[in-house]
Amino acid sequence: MTQNSSSAQGNQQLSREQRYAAYRKKLLELKDGAALREVLEREMLLEFVRINHGNINEFPLLKAQQNSVIELMCNRGQHPGYDFIQKMAGIFMTLVTRYDKARANDDKKAMDVVGAQLHNTEVILIKCVQGIVYGMALITDNFEEMVLRYFGQESLNDYSALIEKYELDINFWHAFVQHFVASRVENAHKEILAERKYNLSKERSFLVIRFLFDDILAQLNPTSATIEKTRLQKTYELSEAGFKERRRAKIVQNTLLRGLSFMPEGFLKEGDYLNAARIVCIDPISEDFAREYQNRIVNKNKVEKEEGNRENSFEFLLNQVVALGVGATLAIGMTSRNFFSALEKFIPGETKSIVPLMRNFNTAALEKVLFFMLEHHFMHILREIGMDEGGKIMVRSARARRTTEAEVDQLPGISKIRKAKLFAVDSTKKEYMLFRAKQPKQLGQILNALQVEPEFLEGIKTLWGTPLFRVDIMVLVNLEQVSRTTTNLNAKLAEILSKYGVSAPRSANTPAENATRS
C-alpha cells in the first residue's frame, strides 16, 4: 500500500478555520436531519477523515483502501479500540458545537479556549487514523513482499489488482487465499493425480495413499534474491536498529501498557504491545515523546511549570502516542479477525494453531502461515472427498527433518558410520537426507553413542535447527472398519480409490489383495 499512498506533506491542507467551518456545516446538517446518535457519530467521522486525509502520512490513494481506512475508523466493531474513538468523537462534536456558539456570540476568549481544546481533540483523532493507516500499510507491504518472494515478480500484478478491487476486509482475504493458495493447491492436486505422483501401501491395518507436500510447493516460484523493503517497512525495522531506537520503542511500549489499560485484561498480549509500539515509532511524534519522557525522568525532582502551549506539553504528546496505539491495534486486530474468518472456508477448524502467528503480520510469520495454508487446504480437499465414509477414512500429515547431502558431507569429522547412524536417504529427493532422530533427546542419545567432537556437534546443531522438513500427507483407510461395513472388500476399496482418483498398482492383484499383502 505504501506505493499507492501519499505523503501528508504533498497534499493540499485546509486551514484551521476552514476545517472548523466544514465540521460545523456537517454537524448542523445531521442535526437538522434528526440523525440517530450512532449515525451522527459515523457521518462526522467520515467527514473528519475526508477533511483531514491531507494531514495523514501514507494515506492510500486507491479508493478501495481509502474505504478500508474509513471503515476501520468509523465502524463500531468487535474491538475495544472503538470505545476510545467513540469517546473522542463525542468530545469532538461537543467542542464543535461550543466553538460555533462562541463564534456566533463573537466571544474571542471562549473561541481561543474552546478552539485550543478542539484543535487538540482533532489531533488525537488524526493520530487514531494515522495508527490505522500505518498498521494497514505495513500489513499490505508485508503481504506484497511475501507474494514477490514465493510467487514471483509477475504475481505482483495479481496482488495489485486485488488491492485495487477490494477493501481490506473478509472479501479481500477470501480472494487472496483463493488466488494464491487454493487455486495452486487445486492445480497441484490435478497434476499429482494425472502424473500418478502418489504412493499406495499397507501400513498395519491401514491402506495408505501418500502424497508429498513437495509436489504442492512445486506450484510456487520462490526467489532467493534480496527484496527491497518499502519506506514504511524500513522505518518499522529501524525501531530495532540500535540502542536509542530500542529504548524509544520500550518507552512507548510501557506507555501503551498503561494508556491502553481500558481494554479488557488479556485482550492484548505482551507481543501485541511491542508490535504496536514499533508501529507508533514510525510516527515522528514518538521521538518527541521519548525525549520529553527522558527529560522528565532526569528532572523529576525539579519544579516544572506547565507550558502554556498544550501542543508542547508532555500530556498532549502522551495522548497522541496512545491514539496511535489505538489505531495500530485496531488495524491489526480487525484485519486478523477478517483474515481468519476468510480462512475458515479453506481450512475449517484448523486456524487456531496459527492465531499466534497472525498478531503482527511480520514477514517471518507470513511465511509460516503460507505453508500452513497450502498444507492444510490440501488436507481439507482430501477430507472432503472422503467425508461420506465417516470414520473409515482419516487424513494426517507426518514430518521428517531433513537437510541436503552436500551439507552432511561438509560436517567436520563425518564418516560413513556417523552418516548412516544419523541420516537416511530421502527417497523422494535424491539430494536430501533425513534425520533418523525424531526428537532432540533421541538425537542427543545417538551423538553420545558416537562420541562426536565439539566441532561436529556444533555442525549437527546448525543442521537440526534449520527449519527444513519433508512433509507427507496421507489418506488412511481403516481396513478393519471398511471390512465390517461391506461384504465385498475389493469392490469397496476400489470405490474409495476411485473417489480419490487413485489407481491401484499395475498388477494381477485386486485392490483388496494389494492392501492386505504384507
Side-chain angles (χ1 to χ4, degrees):
M1 190 168 74
T2 303
Q3 296 172 345
N4 296 304
S5 59
S6 60
S7 171
Q9 288 74 21
N11 285 282
Q12 184 178 0
Q13 300 175 20
L14 299 177
S15 69
R16 182 180 296 193
E17 287 304 318
Q18 286 175 323
R19 296 196 308 274
Y20 291 178
Y23 299 147
R24 181 173 65 251
K25 179 181 178 182
K26 186 65 176 180
L27 187 58
L28 289 173
E29 288 177 359
L30 292 168
K31 286 184 176 180
D32 289 344
L36 296 174
R37 175 72 183 186
E38 186 173 335
V39 175
L40 183 69
E41 177 187 302
R42 174 179 168 80
E43 291 300 315
M44 278 303 295
L45 286 171
L46 283 169
E47 184 71 359
F48 181 86
V49 175
R50 186 189 68 80
I51 291 170
N52 288 284
H53 74 272
N55 297 317
I56 299 166
N57 286 314
E58 305 295 338
F59 194 80
L61 297 176
L62 297 174
K63 186 66 176 177
Q65 298 315 305
Q66 289 179 1
N67 290 338
S68 297
V69 173
I70 291 169
E71 287 302 310
L72 281 172
M73 182 69 181
C74 304
N75 277 350
R76 293 183 180 183
Q78 297 176 329
H79 193 283
Y82 286 111
D83 294 339
F84 180 90
I85 292 175
Q86 185 179 349
K87 175 184 175 182
M88 297 309 302
I91 294 172
F92 175 74
M93 290 187 290
T94 298
L95 290 172
V96 168
T97 300
R98 289 179 181 174
Y99 186 82
D100 184 41
K101 183 177 180 182
R103 184 190 60 82
N105 295 331
D106 199 24
D107 187 340
K108 301 295 184 182
K109 183 178 180 180
M111 286 178 66
D112 289 342
V113 173
V114 177
Q117 294 173 339
L118 179 56
H119 170 66
N120 292 341
T121 306
E122 181 184 48
V123 170
I124 297 302
L125 282 173
I126 286 174
K127 291 302 182 185
C128 288
V129 183
Q130 186 68 80
I132 289 173
V133 169
Y134 284 150
M136 275 183 52
L138 198 60
I139 290 169
T140 53
D141 285 354
N142 287 348
F143 266 95
E144 181 177 294
E145 180 180 339
M146 184 189 72
V147 167
L148 182 58
R149 185 175 303 281
Y150 288 101
F151 299 97
Q153 181 73 37
E154 63 278 5
S155 292
L156 285 184
N157 290 334
D158 298 335
Y159 180 74
S160 296
L162 294 177
I163 289 289
E164 291 179 20
K165 182 177 180 180
Y166 295 100
E167 296 177 22
L168 202 65
D169 55 15
I170 188 172
N171 294 320
F172 171 83
W173 295 117
H174 183 277
F176 177 90
V177 177
Q178 177 61 47
H179 182 80
F180 287 103
V181 176
S183 64
R184 283 166 169 78
V185 170
E186 290 158 9
N187 289 338
H189 188 204
K190 292 176 183 176
E191 288 184 14
I192 289 168
L193 296 180
E195 299 176 21
R196 298 171 62 90
K197 293 181 178 179
Y198 50 81
N199 178 266
L200 192 62
S201 64
K202 177 179 179 287
E203 298 179 17
R204 297 192 299 274
S205 60
F206 291 94
L207 174 63
V208 180
I209 310 171
R210 188 181 301 268
F211 303 92
L212 296 176
F213 188 48
D214 287 341
D215 292 326
I216 305 295
L217 296 181
Q219 293 288 318
L220 305 185
N221 182 26
T223 177
S224 58
T226 301
I227 297 174
E228 180 71 15
K229 299 285 185 180
T230 64
R231 180 175 63 249
L232 200 72
Q233 287 175 311
K234 290 176 181 177
T235 308
Y236 175 84
E237 292 180 357
L238 277 176
S239 61
E240 287 188 329
F243 173 76
K244 180 181 178 182
E245 291 78 13
R246 290 194 298 272
R247 181 176 60 185
R248 174 163 38 125
K250 190 64 177 178
I251 289 171
V252 172
Q253 181 183 1
N254 290 337
T255 301
L256 294 180
L257 277 167
R258 296 188 297 273
L260 301 181
S261 60
F262 63 88
M263 295 190 182
E265 185 176 354
F267 182 82
L268 296 177
K269 309 299 182 186
E270 182 178 355
D272 299 330
Y273 286 106
L274 176 58
N275 183 52
R278 294 184 68 189
I279 293 175
V280 171
C281 285
I282 294 172
D283 197 271
I285 202 69
S286 66
E287 192 169 353
D288 297 336
F289 173 74
R291 182 174 58 250
E292 290 301 316
Y293 182 94
Q294 292 173 81
N295 288 340
R296 285 170 68 91
I297 297 297
V298 172
N299 302 314
K300 63 180 179 180
N301 294 323
K302 296 181 181 180
V303 177
E304 298 181 1
K305 294 182 179 179
E306 184 70 24
E307 299 178 23
N309 188 344
R310 185 174 173 81
E311 286 187 26
N312 296 323
S313 73
F314 177 75
E315 183 181 357
F316 186 52
L317 291 171
L318 186 150
N319 289 338
Q320 291 179 72
V321 165
V322 171
L324 283 161
V326 168
T329 58
L330 188 60
I332 299 295
M334 293 305 293
T335 301
S336 180
R337 184 187 298 275
N338 289 333
F339 181 77
F340 282 111
S341 295
L343 278 191
E344 274 301 314
K345 175 181 178 181
F346 301 96
I347 51 173
E350 300 292 336
T351 59
K352 188 175 181 180
S353 60
I354 56 171
V355 167
L357 295 173
M358 298 303 293
R359 299 188 76 95
N360 62 13
F361 292 91
N362 64 45
T363 50
L366 291 184
E367 176 182 321
K368 295 177 182 177
V369 170
L370 171 63
F371 283 80
F372 185 93
M373 290 189 296
L374 290 166
E375 176 183 342
H376 286 268
H377 183 57
F378 184 49
M379 293 175 69
H380 171 62
I381 290 173
L382 298 177
R383 288 192 183 102
E384 288 286 297
I385 292 172
M387 183 178 292
D388 292 343
E389 301 298 335
K392 294 192 289 292
I393 294 178
M394 297 184 296
V395 178
R396 296 285 186 269
S397 64
R399 281 169 166 68
R401 197 177 296 267
R402 69 181 175 185
T403 186
T404 64
E405 186 170 13
E407 289 178 300
V408 172
D409 290 338
Q410 290 174 6
L411 288 169
I414 190 67
S415 65
K416 288 184 178 181
I417 293 176
R418 287 179 174 182
K419 190 172 181 179
K421 291 288 186 181
L422 287 164
F423 301 97
V425 174
D426 186 345
S427 60
T428 66
K429 274 196 171 184
K430 294 180 180 179
E431 68 272 24
Y432 282 87
M433 302 197 78
L434 303 174
F435 276 91
R436 292 190 183 277
K438 304 301 181 185
Q439 301 296 333
K441 183 178 179 181
Q442 188 181 1
L443 177 64
Q445 290 171 344
I446 298 173
L447 292 171
N448 287 336
L450 291 172
Q451 297 180 332
V452 299
E453 302 80 15
E455 296 82 5
F456 187 89
L457 180 60
E458 286 304 311
I460 283 290
K461 285 182 177 178
T462 300
L463 294 184
W464 180 270
T466 304
L468 197 60
F469 295 89
R470 165 181 156 178
V471 180
D472 291 10
I473 299 172
M474 300 166 289
V475 176
L476 305 172
V477 183
N478 191 314
L479 296 172
E480 291 181 1
Q481 288 196 29
V482 172
S483 63
R484 291 195 200 107
T485 58
T486 183
T487 57
N488 190 334
L489 180 59
N490 180 61
K492 185 60 180 178
L493 290 178
E495 178 188 333
I496 291 174
L497 293 179
S498 177
K499 283 183 178 181
Y500 281 96
V502 170
S503 302
R506 293 186 177 92
S507 70
N509 300 311
T510 65
E513 290 171 335
N514 282 318
T516 55
R517 289 176 64 189
S518 57

